[in-house]
Amino acid sequence: MSINLIYLIAGLAMFLAAVLPAVLDRYAVSAAMVLLLLGMAIGLLPLPEGMRLDPVVIRPQVERVTEFTILVALMGVGLAIDRSFDWRSRSAWAAWSPTWRLLAIAMPLTIASVALLGWGLGVAPAAALLLGAALAPTDPVLASDVQVEGPRVDGSGHAGEAGGDGADDGEALGEPVDEQDDVRFALTSEAGLNDGLAFPFVTAAVLLASAGSFSSWGLHWLAWDLVGKVVVGVLVGVAVGWGLAKVAFRSPRRSLRLAEQGEPLLALAALVMTYGLSQLVGGYGFLSVFACGMTLRAAERNHRYHRSMHEVVQRLERLLTLIILLMLGMAMTKGVLGELDWRGVVIAVSLVFVVRPLSGWASLRLRARPADLPGGLGRRETLATAFFGVRGIGSLYYLAFAAGEHAFADERWLWSTVAFTILLSVMVHGTLATPVMRYLERRRERAGAAGPA
């Protein structure tokens, strides 16, 4: 394959990435499906000399690219959520109840189920735990079809123009907004938080493989990895987001009030700054970035600047996703699925069709909140939320990270199993997302038109 052909293919792929979301909006096909299949087709061509797609060989590059892509997606998710959260408010905790249930019940159940299934099928305990931890988080990158669309910046749901130097740029544009679709809200907020919360269990898998029995490292892991780093990560994100919001929206110096200037690159500066600081002080950077995005979103909630920041983050996320999906598709037809066996297929199918749906259903139906209240889900909404746990780029990152910390004997099998699970998830969830979400939206619209009895 010549370099000129690579330019042509890359240009066509970028064009598809730009037009596919609008073109496929009416159909039961996601952009991720098309890009992944396109990458698999490209992978049938000869590679340029020196180009390697073996994830074991290029593990550091896989880790860094997927890491940054997740960070961009997490900032976008934090900025996109309209439902506010005040830790002092009982009603706010209740409105976020689907998120807490999915994180506290469904996620541990998923990790444990996949790990036990893998162990029962003959996978080494540490590798089985790593597989469960890597596949447990729902993906903030590939789940766009079932997530909230972006920040609404006025009471009617319409965004004002971004940027501008007019004096009215700092004005609020209506009443505070809230999420109208609790399914999309639950899946979006879950994806924003569970990538960081999977980290302790990835660390546990590495420690189990390298340091031996739980008794030798368990207490420190419980106190610091499971609790301490989470707290530090959240506090760093909130602190950085609060400080940047004070500058961008309310600085006494006009030159520093970036919101009035409409400069959206603050979002990118915020995510890099937050992640770097959090990692330096020992917190979970993924949690920090999401918390920073949420904190920025809470400042001047109806300001049109939130839309500007979200759009620039969304565009960068789309470009990074394009690169990763094309490369992953190419790798699939260049041997990354070579170690896949019946055990990997059983685990992937069980996760997508049994483990995640059942653990999600159990978590959401336990003392469920009434469906007519914020955070309440009816039976159909609960089933959809439980089912659409999309697996994706986060799984690639966690596997690359763990394999860089310790040499797992089953690493190539792990890559094959994770890649096949992502392929299955993209195809199944991508096909069902559009019809299911539209069905639920029509039901909600009919219920709203009928009004109270």
Side-chain angles (χ1 to χ4, degrees):
M1 187 189 301
S2 70
I3 189 65
N4 294 324
L5 182 57
I6 292 176
Y7 276 119
L8 175 60
I9 292 174
L12 290 173
M14 289 182 183
F15 174 75
L16 284 175
V19 302
L20 281 178
V23 171
L24 300 176
D25 184 59
R26 298 183 178 182
Y27 305 100
V29 179
S30 69
M33 294 170 61
V34 175
L35 291 171
L36 198 58
L37 291 174
L38 177 61
M40 295 174 71
I42 296 172
L44 297 175
L45 302 173
L47 291 177
E49 185 177 353
M51 184 176 182
R52 304 293 298 274
L53 292 176
D54 186 344
V56 177
V57 175
I58 62 170
R59 185 191 311 114
Q61 293 87 344
V62 172
E63 181 181 348
R64 293 308 169 208
V65 173
T66 54
E67 177 183 42
F68 187 65
T69 303
I70 295 167
L71 291 174
V72 172
L74 290 173
M75 176 57 71
V77 167
L79 291 170
I81 294 177
D82 288 327
R83 181 166 297 170
S84 61
F85 176 73
D86 182 352
W87 65 273
R88 297 162 298 185
S89 169
R90 180 178 295 182
S91 62
W93 283 93
W96 279 66
S97 63
T99 309
W100 313 136
R101 293 165 183 270
L102 290 169
L103 295 174
I105 301 175
M107 185 175 168
L109 281 177
T110 301
I111 294 173
S113 299
V114 172
L116 289 173
L117 178 60
W119 188 28
L121 293 176
V123 182
L129 178 58
L130 173 58
L131 189 63
L135 291 176
T138 54
D139 195 73
V141 183
L142 300 186
S144 58
D145 290 337
V146 293
Q147 292 180 353
V148 298
E149 294 181 358
R152 292 177 297 152
V153 294
D154 62 38
S156 65
H158 299 290
E161 296 177 2
D165 296 324
D168 62 333
D169 281 351
E171 295 178 0
L173 302 176
E175 295 298 322
V177 293
D178 193 2
E179 301 295 350
Q180 301 300 312
D181 189 331
D182 279 295
V183 174
R184 292 185 183 274
F185 165 73
L187 291 168
T188 305
S189 55
E190 179 199 12
L193 287 164
N194 66 7
D195 262 311
L197 294 176
F199 231 119
F201 301 96
V202 174
T203 302
V206 173
L207 290 172
L208 184 62
S210 60
S213 65
F214 181 81
S215 60
S216 62
W217 49 266
L219 185 61
H220 179 271
W221 177 83
L222 287 169
W224 178 238
D225 293 278
L226 188 61
V227 178
K229 287 189 173 185
V230 171
V231 174
V232 171
V234 172
L235 291 177
V236 168
V238 171
V240 174
W242 180 85
L244 292 177
K246 290 282 287 186
V247 173
F249 291 99
R250 294 183 287 276
S251 173
R253 298 187 61 178
R254 182 178 175 83
S255 60
L256 294 178
R257 293 200 297 271
L258 297 177
E260 292 185 10
Q261 302 170 29
E263 176 50 73
L265 291 180
L266 174 66
L268 299 182
L271 78 88
V272 176
M273 187 188 311
T274 304
Y275 188 67
L277 178 59
S278 181
Q279 294 294 101
L280 282 174
V281 300
Y284 288 131
F286 287 172
L287 282 176
S288 297
V289 170
F290 177 72
C292 178
M294 284 286 298
T295 306
L296 280 172
R297 180 72 180 94
E300 304 291 340
R301 180 165 291 277
N302 283 318
H303 200 292
R304 62 193 70 184
Y305 186 48
H306 296 297
R307 173 71 72 173
S308 301
M309 289 193 292
H310 181 263
E311 285 177 352
V312 73
V313 169
Q314 189 177 49
R315 285 183 172 85
L316 179 57
E317 177 189 338
R318 189 179 299 174
L319 176 61
L320 292 169
T321 304
L322 159 70
I323 295 171
I324 292 175
L325 288 177
L326 286 177
M327 298 295 286
L328 178 60
M330 293 169 64
M332 286 183 179
T333 47
K334 288 295 183 185
V336 77
L337 295 177
E339 296 296 319
L340 182 68
D341 58 14
W342 66 272
R343 298 176 303 165
V345 174
V346 169
I347 290 172
V349 172
S350 300
L351 173 64
V352 172
F353 291 103
V354 180
V355 173
R356 161 64 191 203
L358 288 182
S359 61
W361 175 268
S363 68
L364 294 170
R365 296 309 297 174
L366 179 65
R367 298 183 64 183
R369 184 170 170 82
D372 57 342
L373 296 176
L377 297 168
R379 290 186 177 274
R380 292 179 178 85
E381 288 76 13
T382 298
L383 182 59
T385 305
F387 181 75
F388 284 113
V390 181
R391 268 58 201 171
I393 293 173
S395 300
L396 297 175
Y397 168 75
Y398 279 124
L399 181 53
F401 169 82
E405 295 292 313
H406 178 79
F408 287 83
D410 296 326
E411 182 179 353
R412 291 194 178 277
W413 178 83
L414 289 169
W415 280 109
S416 293
T417 301
V418 168
F420 177 74
T421 305
I422 294 172
L423 176 63
L424 179 65
S425 175
V426 167
M427 295 303 166
V428 172
H429 296 132
T431 301
L432 295 176
T434 297
V436 170
M437 299 308 291
R438 287 192 172 171
Y439 167 74
L440 294 176
E441 288 166 4
R442 287 195 297 268
R443 289 189 73 252
R444 189 171 63 254
E445 290 171 359
R446 289 197 297 267

